[in-house]
């Protein structure tokens, strides 16, 4: 059953499609959660599968299966904590879940794709679902910000998709094949040619867009702000897993002579970190803040990729998993604090400690981890990324990255300060249901455990990358 | 592992580190606030009592690290959980464990809101602080070093004074900005060592080029100088001290500042000896500037906490002076002065806290003339002030004497330039004392109660240590002697292997 996780998601989305016809809102959500849980279980069960499908365009190995596990679990977590999808237009709820599952399906297929056309189709499947989910927010205030966000998202995405396709045609033109493994065999001889560099760089841009790396970050703040809280929770975490997986596959094409590609990545990393952190300093809307912080973290992830070595790739995987965990911890809190699905400003979090100690603690753990303070996972990830980059002789980059950690502290701390030290503006306690409580405790434990005992996850990540080489 | 005397049986250091952490976890489930107070006192006292066996079981005749524990942790990166103490860290661990119960006692009434959370913060702090002094692996050290910031940030940020937010964020960002460079240096050391290791004792024996040493030293220096804090990196300190609650100020002054100087001793001297010797004159001058600057600024303060905070800048200047004169008297004096400053300044902050609980002000003018109403209190205060200004017979006298003796044998001019610092200390301390005891008696004031039993119990042990170290410092000096000699050997051997022989004594 090489195709089992995909099959579950595919059948699930078909089921959800039937729901859209009957329009029974509550059942749609339960169904989506069930699909998520089933897909997670099946992908965990099939983690050791190996093989090829579809004329070798689709590869099942440790690497792809690990990412499938991560993607399906993250999707389920988002579904679980976003209880009622408060700000999704009610009549669209079944469709919303349908696209959510479809987008995950696209991502799950993406991480297994080892051929350019398959890669493109999978990417578009996941992306188009997202383009549709963004404007589905209930337009309560009549501002139509979600429309603006949706349009921006799709416009920028179409542009980068075009660039990516163009790049793919370069690679095809140079090597005469669309299979990544064959390209990898032929490319080392051609890597000094401008066409090859341009080709790889253009293909990379499509996925750098997904990861929100500078200069492909333009969509982030508006989409994060304009989309519903739950949608943003999804966009901010799950697609990034897929993006990292493919970035690893593509950068591997450049190894080990691709110094030009490394240079490009270094520049992207530095710009992302500075732009993300400096812009985050002045944000008031917490989703925008997390968006900019995400841009900065994407820069950090590149630190592992640009080493072009197994350890670096493994650290990148470790880091992105950690990032998804801490990001989810923050979004979980936002979804609870936002009563009617409205956007949350930092000021709205004031005195959160008095309203719900658990939510405040979850937020604190997430923020501290994002800031890279030990003993949380964010520190371990940063530490290993910096070590790897230093080993790759990128001293300037490492110092700039370290400097960025210090800048970032300020805005993460300000959020904490508001939550713990300020007096509450709204005094009512925040009601948190059992699932959310359990989820937040699980997230806190995961963030701390991965920070204190990173070995297990690292080993898995290393094995996954080793499966690629 | 020949540098480490492995621990047979009872893992004393691990227990000392994790006991407060376990205590903190239990606190969360306690039913009432008074139970949290009592529990915190029990845990910290148990820790203090247990740490005495560290002293009694310590073999002062060897420079090896003792009570060693070694477990693999993250094998992919060769990161280990390695603990051990030598004569230098032993005293600092003892200082930490001894101070903590008094911090709990000092917060007994002072902290009125969120008592549980406060006690949790205190105990997490203790865990991290003991760990920092016991860690022999760089990553373990760094994690604990940084982890300490969170509870301290909360202590200042939640229970602090009116400008607590400003102070806590400034404290956090300053110290963190310094320590990220420390992290880069640690990674660089790891990558340079062969085979790659984070083990601190193994890195001490490494041979590094002078340029590399200089870069690593500068990164170390930035982190530690901010923590000490040395002039001109001190600007976070007065704000943090003034806004922190009493226990926070005591921990900051008594223990956190020592981590900077401990870092110099533990890392800069043995790992980057060449850079240390090259930069020594500049750091000595910087220390002198700190001593004089701290003294003059303290003289101008109206707020008692600020006064003591700035006096700390001066006193810590003496400590860095002692460390970087690089001879036995200087370093032993510096370590003793670290303990002394912990005892004396901690006690002074406790005294200010007691005044504040009564008058709700830290202004010197508001506290003037309380001697008549609080004779016992001012007696304590007088002794601690005398200790702070290094009066013969008190602890600081021994420390400053040793430092200056070491200083004069290194460089007459630099040591001479530091002398006015001692006079300035006398000036600002006596000025404060005069004002508090006799100043403005007609100051209309509510009736102030003298110290109660709890408060006397808090202050009396500090007084005991002031005179114990002052009159018979031998038990303290003998513990560190071998370790200090070994440290200097490490520096000297590195120096001898190059052209800078003439510099060493």
């Amino acid at each position: 059953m090489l195709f089992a996780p995909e099959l579950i998601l595919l059948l699930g989305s078909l089921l959800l499609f039937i729901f859209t016809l009957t329009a029974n809102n509550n059942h749609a959500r339960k169904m989506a959660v069930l699909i998520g849980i089933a897909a997670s279980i099946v992908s965990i069960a099939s983690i050791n599968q190996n093989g090829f499908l579809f004329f070798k365009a689709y590869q099942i190995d440790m690497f792809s299966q690990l990412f499938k596990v991560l993607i399906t679990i993250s999707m389920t977590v988002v579904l679980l904590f976003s209880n009622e999808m408060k700000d999704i237009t009610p009549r669209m709820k079944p469709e919303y879940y349908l696209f959510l599952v479809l987008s995950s399906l696209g991502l799950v297929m993406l991480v297994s794709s080892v051929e350019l056309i398959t890669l493109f189709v999978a990417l578009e499947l996941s992306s188009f679902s997202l383009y549709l989910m963004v404007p589905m927010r209930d337009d309560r205030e009549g501002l139509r910000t979600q429309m603006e966000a949706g349009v921006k998202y799709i416009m920028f995405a179409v542009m980068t998709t075009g660039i990516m396709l163009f790049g793919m045609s370069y690679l095809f033109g140079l090597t005469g094949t669309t299979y990544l493994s064959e390209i990898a065999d032929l490319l080392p001889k051609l890597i000094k040619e401008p066409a090859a560099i341009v080709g790889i760089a253009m293909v990379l841009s499509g996925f750098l867009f997904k990861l929100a790396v500078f200069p492909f970050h333009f969509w982030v703040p508006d989409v994060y702000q304009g989309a519903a809280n739950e949608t943003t929770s999804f966009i901010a975490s799950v697609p990034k897993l897929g993006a990292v997986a493919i970035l690893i596959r593509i950068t591997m094409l450049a190894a080990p002579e691709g110094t030009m590609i490394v240079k490009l990545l270094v520049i992207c990393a530095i710009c992302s970190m500075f732009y993300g952190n400096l812009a985050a300093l002045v944000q008031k809307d917490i989703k925008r803040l997390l968006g900019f912080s995400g841009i900065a973290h994407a820069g950090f992830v590149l630190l592992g990729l640009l080493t072009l070595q197994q350890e670096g790739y493994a650290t990148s995987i470790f880091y992105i998993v950690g990032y998804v965990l801490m990001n989810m911890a923050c979004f979980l809190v936002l979804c609870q604090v936002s009563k009617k699905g409205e956007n949350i400003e930092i000021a709205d979090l004031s005195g959160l400690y008095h309203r719900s100690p658990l939510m405040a603690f979850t937020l604190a753990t997430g923020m501290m981890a994002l800031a890279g303070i030990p003993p949380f996972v964010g520190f371990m990830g940063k530490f290993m990324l910096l070590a790897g980059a230093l080993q790759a002789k990128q001293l300037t980059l490492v110092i700039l990255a370290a400097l960025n950690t210090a800048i970032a502290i300020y805005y993460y701390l300000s959020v904490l300060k508001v939550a713990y030290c300020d007096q509450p503006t709204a005094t009512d306690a925040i009601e948190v249901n059992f699932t959310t409580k359990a989820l937040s405790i699980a997230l806190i434990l995961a963030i701390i455990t991965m920070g204190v005992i990173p070995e297990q996850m690292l080993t898995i990540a290393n094995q996954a990358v080793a499966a690629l080489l | 592992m020949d540098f480490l005397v492995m621990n047979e049986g009872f893992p004393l250091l691990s227990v000392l580190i994790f006991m407060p952490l376990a205590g903190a976890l239990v606190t969360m489930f306690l039913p009432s606030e008074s139970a949290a107070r009592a529990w915190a006192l029990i845990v910290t006292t148990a820790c203090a009592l247990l740490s005495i066996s560290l002293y009694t079981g310590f073999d002062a005749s060897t420079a090896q690290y003792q009570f060693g524990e070694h477990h693999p942790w993250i094998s992919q990166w060769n990161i280990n959980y390695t603990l051990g103490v030598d004569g230098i860290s032993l005293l600092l661990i003892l200082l930490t464990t001894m101070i903590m119960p008094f911090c709990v006692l000092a917060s007994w009434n002072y902290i009125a809101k969120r008592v549980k959370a406060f006690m949790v913060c205190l105990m997490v702090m203790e865990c991290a602080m003991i760990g920092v002094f016991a860690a022999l692996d760089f990553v373990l050290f760094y994690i604990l070093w940084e982890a300490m910031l969170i509870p301290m940030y909360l202590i200042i940020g939640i229970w602090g004074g009116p400008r607590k937010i400003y102070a806590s964020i400034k404290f956090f960002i300053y110290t963190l900005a310094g320590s990220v460079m420390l992290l880069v240096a640690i990674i660089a050391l790891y990558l340079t060592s062969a085979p790659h290791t984070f083990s601190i004792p193994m890195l001490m024996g490494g041979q590094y080029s002078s340029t590399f040493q200089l870069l690593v030293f500068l990164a170390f220096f930035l982190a530690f100088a901010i923590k000490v804090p040395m002039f001109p990196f001190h600007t976070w300190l007065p704000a943090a001290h003034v806004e922190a609650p009493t226990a926070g100020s005591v921990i900051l002054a008594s223990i956190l500042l020592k981590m900077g100087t401990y870092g110099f001793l533990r890392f800069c001297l043995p790992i980057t000896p060449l850079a240390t010797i090259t930069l020594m004159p500049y750091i000595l001058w910087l220390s002198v500037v700190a001593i004089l600057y701290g003294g003059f600024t303290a003289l101008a303060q109206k707020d008692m906490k600020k006064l003591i905070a700035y006096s700390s800048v001066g006193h810590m200047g003496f400590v860095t002076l002692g460390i970087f004169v690089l001879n036995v008297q200087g370093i032993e004096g510096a370590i003793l002065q670290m303990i002394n400053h912990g005892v004396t300044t901690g006690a002074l902050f406790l005294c200010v806290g007691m005044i504040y609980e009564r008058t709700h002000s830290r202004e010197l003018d508001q506290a003037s003339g309380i001697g008549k109403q609080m004779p016992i209190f001012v007696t304590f205060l007088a002794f601690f002030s005398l200790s702070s200004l290094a009066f013969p017979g008190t602890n600081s006298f021994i420390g400053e004497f040793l430092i200056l003796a070491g200083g004069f044998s290194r460089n007459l001019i630099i040591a001479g330039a530091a002398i006015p610092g001692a006079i300035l200390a006398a000036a600002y301390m006596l000025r404060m004392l005069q004002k508090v005891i006799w100043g403005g008696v007609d100051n209309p004031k509510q009736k102030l109660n003298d110290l109660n039993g709890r408060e006397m119990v808090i202050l009396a042990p500090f007084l005991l240590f002031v005179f114990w170290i002052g009159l018979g410092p031998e038990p303290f000096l003998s513990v560190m002697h071998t370790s200090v000699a070994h440290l200097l050997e490490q520096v000297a051997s590195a120096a001898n292997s190059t052209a800078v022989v003439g510099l060493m004594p």
Side-chain angles (χ1 to χ4, degrees):
Chain A
M1 283 308 285
L2 295 177
F3 204 55
E6 289 88 335
L7 212 57
I8 300 258
L9 288 171
L10 187 61
L11 290 177
S13 42
L14 284 177
L15 263 174
L16 282 168
F17 176 67
I18 298 169
F19 273 92
T20 61
L21 303 175
T22 58
N24 191 331
N25 300 343
N26 295 333
H27 291 248
R29 175 172 182 268
K30 279 181 199 147
M31 195 66 222
V33 171
L34 273 179
I35 294 165
I37 292 172
S40 312
I41 292 171
V42 170
S43 25
I44 291 169
S46 58
I47 191 150
N48 283 321
Q49 300 275 2
N50 268 306
F52 288 96
L53 286 173
F54 313 127
F55 308 102
K56 291 205 167 176
Y58 201 81
Q59 186 175 0
I60 281 101
D61 52 19
M62 179 73 184
F63 181 80
S64 67
Q65 298 312 95
L66 170 68
F67 273 99
K68 282 176 200 172
V69 172
L70 295 172
I71 289 167
T72 45
I73 292 182
S74 324
M75 177 192 104
T76 318
V77 172
V78 171
L79 278 168
L80 280 173
F81 74 66
S82 48
N83 308 315
E84 296 142 28
M85 301 281 178
K86 287 168 269 196
D87 54 346
I88 304 299
T89 315
R91 68 180 170 81
M92 287 191 179
K93 276 189 183 173
E95 274 98 339
Y96 181 83
Y97 293 112
L98 167 64
F99 289 121
L100 199 121
V101 173
L102 265 183
S103 174
S104 307
L105 173 64
L107 289 170
V108 162
M109 289 173 65
L110 185 68
V111 297
S112 264
S113 306
V114 287
E115 192 258 355
L116 292 178
I117 310 285
T118 328
L119 208 67
F120 180 73
V121 171
L123 179 70
E124 289 309 286
L125 175 61
S126 91
S127 305
F128 269 90
S129 313
L130 291 180
Y131 305 151
L132 288 165
M133 278 160 68
V134 172
M136 274 191 188
R137 190 181 204 183
D138 204 359
D139 193 19
R140 221 173 277 124
E141 282 132 26
L143 296 172
R144 304 182 74 79
T145 47
Q146 72 279 25
M147 291 301 171
E148 188 192 328
V151 170
K152 266 195 186 153
Y153 195 16
I154 201 164
M155 293 308 273
F156 285 124
V158 164
M159 212 170 71
T160 42
T161 307
I163 295 176
M164 185 178 69
L165 265 182
F166 204 27
M168 286 181 170
S169 73
Y170 266 71
L171 289 184
F172 177 68
L174 279 169
T175 57
T177 172
T178 55
Y179 286 89
L180 285 182
S181 59
E182 289 171 21
I183 295 176
D185 288 339
L186 294 167
L187 215 52
K189 277 171 248 153
L190 302 165
I191 191 72
K192 294 277 189 293
E193 302 231 356
I197 296 169
V198 171
I200 294 183
M202 281 176 150
V203 176
L204 278 178
S205 69
F207 298 96
L208 293 178
F209 173 84
K210 277 271 157 209
L211 195 60
V213 174
F214 186 94
F216 306 100
H217 64 278
F218 283 107
W219 58 279
V220 170
D222 293 321
V223 170
Y224 273 44
Q225 191 182 18
N229 293 336
E230 289 82 1
T231 318
T232 313
S233 316
F234 186 82
I235 294 179
S237 43
V238 190
K240 300 214 162 153
L241 289 166
V244 167
I246 298 307
L247 279 173
I248 290 177
R249 279 198 200 279
I250 308 275
T251 43
M252 269 186 178
L253 297 179
E257 296 88 1
T259 45
M260 195 64 207
I261 298 292
V262 172
K263 272 184 201 149
L264 283 176
L265 288 176
V266 168
I267 293 168
C268 286
I270 293 177
C271 293
S272 282
M273 288 188 266
F274 274 101
Y275 177 80
N277 281 328
L278 292 177
L281 285 176
V282 293
Q283 297 307 319
K284 290 201 175 69
D285 186 295
I286 193 117
K287 279 200 289 181
R288 278 180 88 92
L289 183 141
L290 283 171
F292 282 111
S293 108
I295 296 173
H297 282 274
F300 257 100
V301 172
L302 291 190
L303 250 57
L305 297 176
L306 54 81
T307 60
L308 302 181
Q309 270 160 11
Q310 179 184 339
E311 275 173 359
Y313 291 133
T315 333
S316 277
I317 296 180
F318 179 86
Y319 193 79
I320 199 72
V321 174
Y323 174 73
V324 168
L325 285 174
M326 37 209 193
N327 210 25
M328 278 194 175
C330 298
F331 274 106
L332 179 145
V333 176
L334 293 192
C335 286
Q336 307 310 311
V337 175
S338 154
K339 256 198 224 121
K340 297 187 205 106
E342 72 279 14
N343 274 5
I344 297 290
E345 300 231 323
I346 295 177
D348 295 330
L349 293 170
S350 54
L352 183 64
Y353 174 85
H354 299 278
R355 301 173 65 195
S356 169
L358 178 65
M359 284 303 110
F361 190 65
T362 315
L363 185 72
T365 313
M367 288 286 169
M368 288 282 181
L370 284 169
I373 295 163
F376 305 113
V377 60
F379 166 74
M380 238 339 141
K382 275 200 179 120
F383 165 73
M384 289 188 289
L385 283 177
L386 291 179
L390 204 54
Q391 198 158 19
K393 304 261 184 286
Q394 300 283 356
L395 181 65
T396 325
L397 177 61
V398 167
I399 290 178
L400 290 177
L403 198 73
N404 260 284
T405 312
I407 300 176
I409 290 288
Y410 181 79
Y411 59 86
Y412 292 123
L413 276 188
S414 332
V415 176
L416 266 196
K417 171 216 116 184
V418 170
Y420 270 90
C421 306
D422 284 8
Q423 283 306 311
T425 41
T427 45
D428 54 326
I430 294 166
E431 282 178 33
V432 183
N433 64 21
F434 174 76
T435 323
T436 314
K437 270 184 197 160
L439 270 181
S440 54
I441 290 170
L443 281 172
I444 292 169
L445 286 180
I447 289 169
I448 295 176
T449 317
M450 261 179 78
V452 179
I453 331 170
E455 186 122 43
Q456 224 88 32
M457 186 62 219
L458 260 185
T459 316
I460 298 174
N462 259 310
Q463 282 170 359
V465 179
L468 282 188
L469 294 168
Chain B
M1 290 291 134
D2 52 340
F3 53 82
L4 195 65
V5 179
M6 287 304 279
N7 192 11
E8 303 296 330
F10 189 67
L12 186 58
L13 286 174
S14 283
V15 172
L16 276 177
I17 293 173
F18 288 107
M19 196 156 78
L21 193 65
L25 284 176
V26 172
T27 310
M28 293 183 190
F29 301 103
L30 289 177
S32 71
E33 297 194 327
S34 49
R37 283 191 192 104
W39 173 247
L41 187 60
I42 292 170
V43 172
T44 48
T45 314
C47 242
L49 292 176
L50 193 63
S51 65
I52 293 173
S53 56
L54 211 58
Y55 184 84
T56 52
F58 187 79
D59 177 7
S61 63
T62 165
Q64 283 177 310
Y65 296 93
Q66 300 169 41
F67 302 97
E69 289 171 43
H70 181 84
H71 305 286
W73 180 16
I74 305 168
S75 48
Q76 268 137 328
W77 289 89
N78 196 12
I79 297 171
N80 299 300
Y81 176 80
T82 316
L83 300 177
V85 289
D86 65 353
I88 301 169
S89 45
L90 173 77
L91 286 174
L92 290 166
I93 291 181
L94 284 174
L95 177 71
T96 309
T97 54
M98 295 298 163
I99 294 271
M100 287 312 284
F102 299 106
C103 289
V104 175
L105 278 173
S107 320
W108 209 263
N109 296 331
Y110 192 97
I111 301 298
K113 58 168 186 175
R114 299 199 220 166
V115 178
K116 263 196 213 176
F118 186 82
M119 295 302 166
V120 168
C121 284
L122 280 189
M123 284 185 266
V124 173
M125 283 290 295
E126 182 169 18
C127 159
M129 289 187 297
I130 299 174
V132 160
F133 291 128
L136 287 183
D137 183 279
F138 250 130
V139 177
L140 182 65
F141 169 83
Y142 188 82
I143 287 181
L144 292 163
W145 167 277
E146 291 285 276
M148 210 160 47
L149 292 181
I150 305 172
M152 196 64 213
Y153 167 74
L154 292 175
I155 287 178
I156 301 175
I158 298 179
W159 294 276
R163 290 168 75 229
K164 57 192 178 184
I165 305 295
Y166 164 76
S168 58
I169 291 189
K170 193 170 179 183
F171 158 77
F172 204 111
I173 291 180
Y174 253 82
T175 35
L176 195 109
S179 24
V180 285
M181 288 304 145
L182 173 68
L183 182 66
V184 175
I186 290 174
I187 298 173
L189 277 171
Y190 168 79
L191 294 171
T192 315
S193 60
H196 293 340
T197 180
F198 282 109
S199 160
I200 294 168
M202 283 184 184
L203 288 172
M204 284 175 183
Q207 300 284 331
Y208 313 105
S209 72
S210 50
T211 330
F212 180 75
Q213 283 199 23
L214 209 60
L215 288 172
V216 170
F217 182 92
L218 287 175
F220 277 162
F221 183 78
L222 189 65
F224 299 142
I226 288 176
K227 204 83 165 185
V228 170
M230 289 181 79
F231 181 87
F233 304 105
H234 65 281
T235 56
W236 63 269
L237 178 90
H241 266 320
V242 170
E243 299 304 324
T246 302
S249 299
V250 174
I251 294 177
L252 263 175
S254 299
I255 307 160
L256 285 198
L257 305 192
K258 308 300 172 302
M259 299 202 158
T261 43
Y262 174 76
F264 284 136
L265 283 169
R266 176 63 79 233
F267 307 120
C268 288
L269 265 53
I271 295 179
T272 57
L274 290 180
T276 307
I277 292 167
T278 318
L279 294 174
M280 180 180 71
Y282 305 102
I283 298 173
L284 289 180
W285 277 114
L286 214 54
S287 307
V288 172
V289 172
I291 294 170
L292 298 179
Y293 170 86
F296 276 117
T297 333
L299 204 53
Q301 297 309 317
K302 292 200 171 76
D303 181 311
M304 276 185 280
K305 265 193 161 175
K306 260 196 184 154
L307 189 151
I308 301 169
Y310 278 111
S311 85
S312 289
V313 174
H315 287 143
M316 293 309 285
F318 269 108
V319 177
T320 48
L321 184 74
I323 291 172
F324 283 96
V325 295
L326 297 179
N327 53 33
V328 176
Q329 293 124 310
I331 293 184
E332 288 193 355
I335 299 170
L336 193 66
Q337 194 63 358
M338 281 156 80
I339 308 293
N340 292 337
H341 180 258
V343 172
T344 306
T345 308
L348 281 172
F349 273 120
L350 288 170
C351 288
V352 175
M354 288 167 189
I355 297 181
Y356 184 78
E357 274 187 72
R358 288 168 171 76
T359 63
H360 296 285
S361 161
R362 287 183 297 260
E363 290 293 311
L364 208 44
D365 290 337
Q366 292 291 313
S368 65
I370 59 175
K372 274 201 173 161
Q373 301 191 45
M374 303 174 67
I376 306 177
F377 172 77
V378 289
T379 315
F380 275 111
L381 185 69
F383 279 120
F384 293 132
S385 304
L386 289 180
S387 156
S388 182
L389 63 83
F391 196 72
T394 61
N395 53 353
S396 300
F397 174 73
I398 312 280
E400 272 186 33
F401 178 80
L402 281 170
I403 291 170
L404 287 174
F408 276 117
S409 62
R410 162 70 61 214
N411 186 326
L412 215 63
I413 301 170
I414 290 179
I419 294 281
I423 301 164
L424 279 171
Y428 60 72
M429 274 300 161
L430 290 178
R431 175 176 149 263
M432 180 182 90
L433 210 54
Q434 181 266 336
K435 191 108 186 185
V436 171
I437 302 181
W438 297 288
V441 191
D442 51 333
N443 207 357
K445 212 176 278 131
Q446 74 276 35
K447 177 93 184 73
L448 297 178
N449 298 320
D450 208 344
L451 297 188
N452 58 29
R454 175 179 62 86
E455 289 166 326
M456 278 193 257
V457 169
I458 295 175
L459 292 182
F462 285 90
L463 202 59
L464 176 76
F465 273 96
V466 164
F467 285 109
W468 183 5
I469 303 175
L471 300 173
E474 201 40 40
F476 298 90
L477 290 171
S478 62
V479 176
M480 62 173 102
H481 198 78
T482 322
S483 299
V484 171
H486 177 69
L487 177 67
L488 281 169
E489 267 167 38
Q490 282 177 310
V491 181
S493 70
N496 282 330
S497 62
T498 57
V500 273
V501 187
L503 261 167
M504 293 310 294

